[in-house]
Amino acid sequence: MAFNIEETLSKLSVIQKIKLLSGLGWWHTEPVEEHGIPSMRMSDGPNGVRGTRFFNGVPSSCFPSSTGLGASFDIDLAYDVGVALGEECRAKGCHILLGPTVNTQRSPLGGRSFESFAEDPTLNGLIAAAYINGVQSKGVSATIKHFVANDQEFERFSISSDVSERALREIYLKPFQLALKHSDPWALMSSYNRVNGVHVSENTWLLDDILRKEWGFKGLIMSDWIGVYSTAESIKAGVDLEMPGPTVMRGKAVERSLAAQKLFISDIDDRARKVLELLQKAYASGIPFNAPEEGVDTPELRKLLRKAAADSIVLLKNEKNLLPLTSESKVRSIAVIGPNAKYAFSSGGGSARLLESYTVTPLHGIEAGAKEFGLDVKFALGATTHKLNPLLDPYITLRDGSGKGALLEFWNESPADGFATTQTNLTDGLKPCVWSCTTKVSNCVLLDGVDESKVEKDCFLRYSTVFTPEESGTYEFSLTLAGSGNLFFENKLIIDLSTAPTPGDYFMGLGTAEVKVQVPGLKAGQGYLLEVRANNHDYVKQVPIIPNWGGLRLGAVKVVEPEDALKEAIDLAKSTDVAILVVGLNHDWESEGYDRPDLELPGLTNRLVSGVLKANPRTIVVNQSGSAVTFPWINEAPTVLQAFYGGNELGNGIADVLFGKVNPSAKLSLTFPKRLEDVPSYPSYGSKGQEHGKILYNEGVFVGYRGYQVKNLTPMFPFGFGLSYSTFEYSALKCSEISAEGKFTVSFTIKNTSNVDGREVAQIYISDDEASLPRPQRELKGFKKVALKAGESRSVDVGLDREALGFFDERRGEWIAEKGTFSVLVGASSEDVKLKESVDLKNSLTWRGL
Ligand code: BGC
């Protein structure tokens, strides 16, 4: 239903207009029923559409983490992923998707590094634009986030990113700027942090002067969740929508600001107009309001998920051409080893996580791939490397035997004396609960999904389930709470988190630390009763910034003697033709809410890898992480792959590359350093690098590969690096003259010199040979992914403009491309330059805006 925005605005009372400026609960905008204004729905983002629930949501597709999609360097794939996300939004009645994330990775340690596409602004911005165009082709609004310089989780609501204007413009604002140049996102999310002392959500310079006036952004600006810290200031600066609801900084506070003339009705009109403009688009999309949520699962979607998983895998080493494993490889038996083979780590942690519609573990993917060649696959864990104990999901059933999962019951008052603390068998004699539900998961993030008409925020809860282990032995159980309470095993208290629990990382840094206890003598196939009895009083009192029902996370893992597990894996590797190690991190190591302390692989991973490499020279290492880690054994490893968090189909994606169904074509979207000290932002990063509430961005524009190159540091693997089963030859570089407006074309030829079809990502770097200030040695300004049949050769044209030549001149307050000579470098990575040409810019060019 199209409506006239100005007419509608003129009919609304001031109170109704103010209502439009805040959220209704976690995932909706406030409606104004009297005028027929409905509530728009939104969902995270960025690698899937979780829908309106963290807890017990409708299952969704999970695409590879953004660093993986970035590594594909594939604009068409990013568009197709965007389209699929748009379709899933439609199925979930969702008008606004909270993605993509484009915060430049200043350090691989960032808890959310996996969420952005690349450390390079051009790759980050261009992939984001394609993703946005895909999402919005389905009538759904994308929300580019988090604007801006939100590159670490440490003290994320308050930290000030102290950065020069030049670095801000060239490195941190640039991905947003490019995305806005090549797409038209209908919404943007401001970030939590401060920039040079001023919170972004009240930063007029960033939101109004740069974003709206200089760049001409026409869309809606929403806050990050609980990221509005002022009333008049945030409205003046241009934050249209405070999220989530109920409002804390708006509502009555806006009325007070109007009375004090800190705000005027025109300010309210400006903000409300943006909400109505987005509503206009929501109407045009035809997506119903308050619709039931559904998932999407079609053969085409599965195909796309599988393609995305395989196309985001980077082949780092293939020294002995062990890969691909084909019928000619003379391989009969395969050992699959490692904790990341057994679990499906589909995405990083925090708001990017969702309940996947299905998953394929690397072990299952490899087993299925191997079956086609009649190969024998055996598995050994080798080491346990989890940060928090693995979840119980596959092993829990309801106590009444009616199916998989657990029962969750809620009371507003204690259902029995000593509910959370005694050892009494509480099966009987409890007061009836006010509300209950079943769940299939043992990680219950109760931010939503609870019937708020029945359950008060300050409540008691019981989670009960039957745990049936697959193997006999001693198990280590663990409990983590956003609240306080206890874990009972067969009605015996085994973990006490009821008094003075230690704060920890759980619940995006707002919950307790995990407490573990071992229980011996469990028998395979036998059911054991587990109960968590908790209340969230202390949680609600102490962490009032997030209004919800708290949360609980139950884990369990079979205790293995580390040396035995290592030996078992090494023995297995010795006995098979090939060993495939699948190691890495997971969503507990890389998550919103906290940063990583170092670049190490966890636990005994490195010992496991070294041991298996010694045992079997035909060992393939597959590393799974959303961002860079270090490989101390790299010189001994002949065959290495980097798989990011690959989404639903991660196991099949890995198998497709290993067995040659897919010829790898991805290239690293971020540098893999040799050691943490080499990372350009070191040491001024994260908790160790903060200086009383600020982080100094001392490295300026020398971020990512720009920082390694200026110091002549060789990383373990450079940005843009990745091998293929094909080989390519570059030739015939030609550059057209630069036009008066700064436009020019770079042309060259690529030939597939192998006998297998493949795809190559050609990268165009520019270097300013005569700059008046220090500039990076070379900067990525364009790229093209080219599919070439065996032996095929193709000429490639890439159009560039003044943006490829310019830098931000702080004195002039504008961009400048200085006249003189520039080198055009065409390469297979940031370090592997294949062709070089010079171009001359006859007259300097200056500009503002996109
Ligand atoms: C994150 C956002 C996310 C929002 C809603 C915040 O904690 O920073 O990226 O969209 O929560 O889940």
Side-chain angles (χ1 to χ4, degrees):
M1 185 195 81
F3 62 94
N4 184 305
I5 291 173
E6 293 311 318
E7 212 174 277
T8 308
L9 205 52
S10 68
K11 282 189 200 142
L12 297 179
S13 70
V14 178
I15 308 288
Q16 287 165 337
K17 289 177 191 171
I18 295 173
K19 203 176 167 211
L20 285 180
L21 309 189
S22 31
L24 173 72
W26 274 70
W27 310 114
H28 291 89
T29 57
E30 279 278 8
V32 181
E33 282 99 358
E34 303 89 309
H35 291 280
I37 295 178
S39 204
M40 288 182 277
R41 181 177 292 171
M42 50 194 95
S43 161
D44 282 314
N47 45 247
V49 184
R50 191 180 52 245
T52 64
R53 291 190 194 170
F54 271 101
F55 175 60
N56 264 0
V58 176
S60 320
S61 297
C62 182
F63 282 93
S65 63
S66 302
T67 35
L69 194 53
S72 76
F73 275 76
D74 191 336
I75 296 287
D76 297 336
L77 178 63
Y79 181 85
D80 291 346
V81 168
V83 170
L85 293 170
E87 272 161 5
E88 180 126 16
C89 280
R90 298 190 73 91
K92 291 201 158 74
C94 165
H95 308 94
I96 306 161
L97 178 66
L98 305 176
T101 307
V102 296
N103 295 110
T104 309
Q105 293 94 348
R106 202 179 148 242
S107 166
L109 297 180
R112 303 184 84 167
S113 284
F114 71 89
E115 262 191 61
S116 300
F117 302 109
E119 71 181 22
D120 176 87
T122 300
L123 179 56
N124 208 356
L126 295 185
I127 295 282
Y131 170 117
I132 292 165
N133 287 332
V135 171
Q136 296 192 165
S137 74
K138 291 284 143 188
V140 172
S141 170
T143 309
I144 190 164
K145 66 187 187 182
H146 313 82
F147 190 81
V148 59
N150 183 188
D151 321 304
Q152 66 232 328
E153 293 303 282
F154 174 72
E155 293 187 351
R156 62 180 178 152
F157 303 119
S158 62
I159 199 81
S160 180
S161 302
D162 282 11
V163 55
S164 72
E165 183 174 359
R166 181 175 167 218
L168 188 64
R169 296 276 193 164
E170 291 185 27
I171 303 294
Y172 302 100
L173 284 167
K174 198 36 127 8
F176 289 94
Q177 187 181 349
L178 284 173
L180 258 60
K181 188 168 163 175
H182 297 279
S183 69
D184 174 26
W186 300 338
L188 171 141
M189 190 188 290
S190 59
S191 58
Y192 285 133
N193 54 291
R194 292 180 287 151
V195 169
N196 297 331
V198 184
H199 273 110
V200 175
S201 60
E202 51 201 60
N203 197 317
T204 305
W205 177 59
L206 287 168
L207 296 180
D208 201 44
D209 296 346
I210 296 182
L211 178 66
R212 283 208 160 113
K213 297 206 174 95
E214 197 181 310
W215 295 355
F217 175 68
K218 297 270 179 303
L220 171 137
I221 302 178
M222 69 177 78
S223 74
D224 199 345
W225 270 229
I226 63 163
V228 168
Y229 317 105
S230 62
T231 303
E233 291 88 337
S234 87
I235 287 180
K236 280 269 185 219
V239 175
D240 304 302
L241 183 64
E242 174 197 7
M243 284 305 293
T247 179
V248 172
M249 303 309 297
R250 297 194 169 182
K252 291 270 172 228
V254 177
E255 292 174 36
R256 177 84 51 97
S257 291
L258 284 170
Q261 296 200 358
K262 282 186 157 206
L263 288 174
F264 298 92
I265 294 294
S266 58
D267 297 315
I268 310 304
D269 284 348
D270 287 347
R271 306 285 71 89
R273 188 175 291 114
K274 291 287 159 198
V275 178
L276 293 178
E277 281 170 10
L278 196 58
L279 181 63
Q280 183 85 279
K281 294 195 162 82
Y283 269 120
S285 74
I287 300 170
F289 297 91
N290 291 317
E293 291 176 63
E294 281 164 28
V296 189
D297 188 1
T298 61
E300 297 75 39
L301 180 60
R302 287 188 177 221
K303 215 168 136 196
L304 178 64
L305 284 158
R306 187 164 178 160
K307 177 182 163 54
D311 283 358
S312 61
I313 292 170
V314 186
L315 178 62
L316 294 175
K317 277 182 104 177
N318 193 18
E319 271 173 15
K320 297 181 183 162
N321 290 331
L322 178 57
L323 290 178
L325 299 170
T326 63
S327 42
E328 280 127 61
S329 304
K330 300 211 180 73
V331 171
R332 258 187 257 117
S333 56
I334 297 180
V336 176
I337 296 168
N340 288 58
K342 191 176 165 189
Y343 300 99
F345 296 128
S346 61
S347 93
S351 57
R353 265 195 96 190
L354 44 77
L355 183 64
E356 306 91 342
S357 43
Y358 68 97
T359 52
V360 183
T361 66
L363 178 60
H364 288 150
I366 294 169
E367 279 172 344
K371 211 167 161 192
E372 291 183 26
F373 296 102
L375 305 177
D376 181 32
V377 177
K378 292 205 173 67
F379 172 74
L381 188 68
T384 53
T385 58
H386 47 264
K387 183 174 181 192
L388 300 179
N389 279 351
L391 296 171
L392 305 183
D393 304 3
Y395 311 109
I396 51 176
T397 45
L398 291 160
R399 244 158 99 172
D400 63 9
S402 61
K404 289 219 148 260
L407 178 68
L408 196 49
E409 299 154 282
F410 292 86
W411 293 266
N412 292 329
E413 286 159 25
S414 181
D417 290 341
F419 171 70
T421 53
T422 67
Q423 297 181 22
T424 326
N425 180 342
L426 285 177
T427 316
D428 306 311
L430 290 180
K431 286 181 197 148
C433 66
V434 290
W435 188 73
S436 70
C437 65
T438 59
T439 177
K440 296 229 163 31
V441 299
S442 70
N443 182 21
C444 305
V445 177
L446 302 172
L447 284 169
D448 43 40
V450 175
D451 185 342
E452 34 190 328
S453 68
K454 304 221 167 82
V455 187
E456 288 166 13
K457 294 280 154 61
D458 203 344
C459 63
F460 293 78
L461 59 90
R462 176 165 75 157
Y463 174 99
S464 48
T465 189
V466 174
F467 170 67
T468 309
E470 262 181 346
E471 294 172 61
S472 302
T474 298
Y475 277 74
E476 185 178 75
F477 289 92
S478 65
L479 177 65
T480 325
L481 289 173
S484 60
N486 293 323
L487 173 63
F488 297 82
F489 176 86
E490 292 283 286
N491 289 311
K492 270 200 224 80
L493 176 68
I494 57 166
I495 293 179
D496 184 347
L497 274 179
S498 62
T499 44
T502 319
D505 286 345
Y506 180 59
F507 221 69
M508 300 178 205
L510 300 173
T512 70
E514 185 183 43
V515 174
K516 299 171 176 178
V517 73
Q518 293 191 357
V519 181
L522 268 66
K523 298 220 164 46
Q526 187 171 321
Y528 299 91
L529 178 60
L530 290 177
E531 260 191 36
V532 177
R533 300 172 203 156
N535 68 57
N536 63 2
H537 301 337
D538 290 343
Y539 173 77
V540 169
K541 276 180 215 126
Q542 282 164 18
V543 197
I545 48 172
I546 295 193
N548 60 62
W549 297 269
L552 66 95
R553 183 190 186 284
L554 255 183
V557 65
K558 186 176 169 231
V559 177
V560 289
E561 180 47 52
E563 296 300 326
D564 293 350
L566 275 174
K567 188 169 176 314
E568 189 197 336
I570 290 169
D571 288 347
L572 178 65
K574 273 188 197 144
S575 71
T576 53
D577 296 332
V578 163
I580 302 173
L581 271 164
V582 192
V583 296
L585 305 176
N586 66 24
H587 48 255
D588 292 325
W589 294 103
E590 288 185 273
S591 170
E592 176 177 343
Y594 46 89
D595 302 307
R596 269 187 298 153
D598 54 46
L599 294 174
E600 308 289 309
L601 284 166
L604 298 185
T605 307
N606 290 330
R607 264 188 72 196
L608 173 68
V609 178
S610 298
V612 172
L613 281 168
K614 272 203 198 96
N616 190 334
R618 289 169 40 110
T619 291
I620 298 155
V621 187
V622 181
N623 177 66
Q624 237 205 324
S625 58
S627 176
V629 289
T630 44
F631 302 151
W633 33 259
I634 190 65
N635 294 334
E636 278 69 59
T639 319
V640 183
L641 294 146
Q642 168 64 23
F644 296 88
Y645 302 119
N648 294 40
E649 287 277 351
L650 77 112
N652 285 332
I654 291 173
D656 286 348
V657 170
L658 293 174
F659 294 105
K661 272 197 187 157
V662 172
N663 187 349
S665 59
K667 307 252 186 177
L668 287 181
S669 47
L670 22 76
T671 309
F672 273 49
K674 283 190 177 146
R675 45 178 214 145
L676 179 59
E677 291 79 357
D678 292 350
V679 174
S681 58
Y682 184 86
S684 41
Y685 183 83
S687 62
K688 289 195 185 132
Q690 63 91 24
E691 296 185 20
H692 304 154
K694 316 173 186 170
I695 301 271
L696 306 180
Y697 283 37
N698 290 322
E699 70 287 355
V701 297
F702 298 98
V703 175
Y705 65 90
R706 292 163 169 82
Y708 295 83
Q709 290 181 345
V710 76
K711 290 192 187 149
N712 212 3
L713 281 173
T714 308
M716 184 166 68
F717 292 104
F719 170 82
F721 175 79
L723 302 169
S724 156
Y725 300 145
S726 308
T727 44
F728 303 97
E729 202 177 81
Y730 288 69
S731 64
L733 172 60
K734 267 197 232 95
C735 300
S736 70
E737 281 208 354
I738 303 177
S739 74
E741 316 82 68
K743 294 205 161 95
F744 61 110
T745 306
V746 177
S747 316
F748 51 95
T749 303
I750 312 187
K751 181 171 185 192
N752 180 346
T753 48
S754 71
N755 54 12
V756 277
D757 300 353
R759 288 165 294 166
E760 169 70 334
V761 176
Q763 301 159 44
I764 293 108
Y765 293 87
I766 301 288
S767 139
D768 187 348
D769 298 342
E770 298 164 5
S772 63
L773 79 185
R775 294 197 65 185
Q777 248 171 51
R778 60 189 80 115
E779 297 187 275
L780 183 78
K781 292 297 175 182
F783 55 90
K784 196 115 188 194
K785 189 157 192 169
V786 193
L788 293 164
K789 297 249 172 259
E792 187 186 347
S793 140
R794 174 128 20 121
S795 79
V796 176
D797 291 333
V798 179
L800 297 178
D801 61 19
R802 61 189 182 185
E803 197 279 314
L805 307 172
F807 64 87
F808 191 80
D809 186 340
E810 286 190 1
R811 294 168 311 176
R812 310 170 65 102
E814 60 185 357
W815 293 89
I816 181 163
E818 291 175 335
K819 70 173 181 186
T821 309
F822 293 81
S823 294
V824 175
L825 311 159
V826 177
S829 84
S830 58
E831 287 297 327
D832 185 8
V833 173
K834 304 283 191 192
L835 306 168
K836 187 173 169 191
E837 245 320 321
S838 292
V839 283
D840 285 320
L841 176 66
K842 295 208 176 69
N843 296 307
S844 296
L845 297 167
T846 57
W847 69 96
R848 283 161 207 246
L850 294 182

